[in-house]
Amino acid sequence: MRAWLLIIGIALGVAASALWQARHTEHEQGAADVSAAGHQQAASARDENTDAADAARVHLDADARALADIETAPAQATQLEVEQYTPGRVLDGGELLAALRERRAAREAMHAQQDLLATQRARLERLRGFAARGEITVARELNALELSVRREADVAATRAAQMAASDAQLRARWGATLAGADGLDARLAAGDAQLVEFAAPAQPRQVHVARDDQRAAALTGEVLGAAPAALGATPTSTWVALVVDTSLRVGMRVGVWVPAGAAIGGVLVPAQAIVWHGGAQWYYVEIAPGEFERRRLGASHRHALGIVVSDGLRAGSAVVVRGAQALLAEQLRQHIPSEDDD
């Protein structure tokens, strides 16, 4: 009986030991699996980051670069005013010049007549003084001079009336601003300046004007003041600017960029440097010879001269200004899996 009890106890101990060892082995295997999974996930994350960095870059040798016609330019730091585009029209400055010259001639004639009248009046006063002292010999000359003074006074009044009429006509046709602009006739007579009218809510100090709507080729125009008439059917105020540009012709339609806000700072990138991919905008920077990195366009402001990038780009960086679309196509092609890839 004791022998059977001993045998049964040994059997139960062996079974319990085997069960514990089995559970311990299963726990260790589970921990090992978890650890292996963690290492695999971390490695996968590193691979994904590496792949993302690699996917954002594309390499071209010299031949491929020349074939794609890639051109870079250093990004320039800039401060640009926010602008609003509005169409403008070149006025007939010759008509205004003729009116200004007519008024100037009338003014000069009036002043000359006034000077002549003043001289004769001064002489008349001297002769009257001689006559008052009893000098009989001046009586005949005094009478003639008094008659001449009356005639010259009438002529002076006529000259003044002509001057006033010329000035009123000029102001009625061209407005008080252009009629009163100092030296405008001389500047128009030089032949290199043109008058451009445009619409804007308020009078700016200066504007930028260009033919063919090319902002990069625009020249600065000095705003003289209000235009004599509205431009088309616009309810907005119309202004006139003087632009020194010999290529402008009377009646020509031009582009006018009017300041419309505070200056914005950043790095200027030309609009042709931007490409679309995946619903976002990107640009390329050459980070090493033949090595191009695609960067997502972040905080920025669109301007007529390009894109002002305020985040993610340093001044002096070599931005791809031509061939960005070809770079994107080559980058996507390089990352298409081949048929032999698993």
Side-chain angles (χ1 to χ4, degrees):
M1 188 64 177
R2 290 180 179 178
W4 281 106
L5 292 175
L6 181 61
I7 292 173
I8 292 173
I10 293 174
L12 291 174
V14 171
S17 176
L19 179 61
W20 177 86
Q21 186 173 2
R23 290 183 176 177
H24 182 70
T25 302
E26 181 180 356
H27 175 74
E28 289 182 347
Q29 183 64 38
D33 291 343
V34 171
S35 178
H39 287 300
Q40 183 177 3
Q41 185 176 3
S44 177
R46 287 194 300 270
D47 291 342
E48 287 179 0
N49 291 335
T50 302
D51 291 343
D54 292 340
R57 295 180 182 178
V58 59
H59 179 79
L60 294 182
D61 57 29
D63 293 337
R65 177 174 183 158
L67 184 62
D69 194 21
I70 303 299
E71 180 181 342
T72 64
Q76 302 292 328
T78 186
Q79 286 280 342
L80 293 174
E81 283 185 315
V82 176
E83 295 176 346
Q84 180 180 0
Y85 171 84
T86 183
R89 184 173 68 92
V90 181
L91 293 174
D92 185 1
E95 182 184 348
L96 173 59
L97 177 59
L100 289 170
R101 283 176 168 174
E102 181 181 348
R103 185 184 64 176
R104 168 170 285 193
R107 180 187 291 116
E108 290 175 349
M110 180 188 70
H111 289 163
Q113 185 63 30
Q114 289 173 346
D115 291 342
L116 175 61
L117 180 60
T119 300
Q120 289 197 348
R121 282 175 173 171
R123 185 183 175 190
L124 179 61
E125 291 301 321
R126 287 198 301 272
L127 289 178
R128 285 174 176 172
F130 295 152
R133 290 194 296 269
E135 298 186 18
I136 307 301
T137 57
V138 300
R140 182 178 299 177
E141 184 179 359
L142 179 60
N143 293 333
L145 186 57
E146 287 177 343
L147 181 60
S148 177
V149 167
R150 285 194 294 269
R151 286 198 303 263
E152 297 302 336
D154 292 339
V155 173
T158 302
R159 295 282 188 267
Q162 291 173 344
M163 164 59 194
S166 178
D167 184 68
Q169 184 177 1
L170 177 62
R171 291 175 180 273
R173 170 63 182 88
W174 293 97
T177 298
L178 298 182
D182 293 334
L184 181 57
D185 53 346
R187 299 172 72 178
L188 291 175
D192 57 356
Q194 295 287 355
L195 297 173
V196 174
E197 63 176 352
F198 63 94
Q203 178 180 349
R205 181 175 54 87
Q206 62 182 24
V207 293
H208 300 282
V209 179
R211 53 185 300 181
D212 302 326
D213 292 341
Q214 298 297 317
R215 175 62 179 85
L219 297 177
T220 301
E222 174 192 351
V223 179
L224 300 177
L231 179 59
T234 176
T236 307
S237 300
T238 307
W239 313 93
V240 176
L242 185 69
V243 184
V244 179
D245 187 349
T246 56
S247 68
L248 300 181
R249 297 292 181 267
V250 176
M252 181 181 290
R253 296 290 176 176
V254 294
V256 180
W257 289 267
V258 182
I264 52 175
V267 180
L268 185 63
V269 173
Q272 63 267 25
I274 306 300
V275 295
W276 281 90
H277 175 63
Q281 292 178 298
W282 309 79
Y283 60 92
Y284 283 90
V285 176
E286 188 172 19
I287 58 177
E291 191 77 17
F292 302 92
E293 182 179 73
R294 189 180 74 206
R295 298 182 183 178
R296 186 165 184 164
L297 182 63
S300 59
H301 183 89
R302 185 168 295 275
H303 191 273
L305 290 175
I307 310 297
V308 181
V309 181
S310 55
D311 184 31
L313 181 63
R314 291 183 177 179
S317 300
V319 176
V320 175
V321 297
R322 187 169 64 192
Q325 195 64 48
L327 267 179
L328 177 62
E330 177 61 20
Q331 186 178 36
L332 297 178
R333 186 194 66 79
Q334 289 183 9
H335 289 87
I336 295 176
S338 65
E339 294 181 355
D340 297 331
D341 292 340
D342 294 334

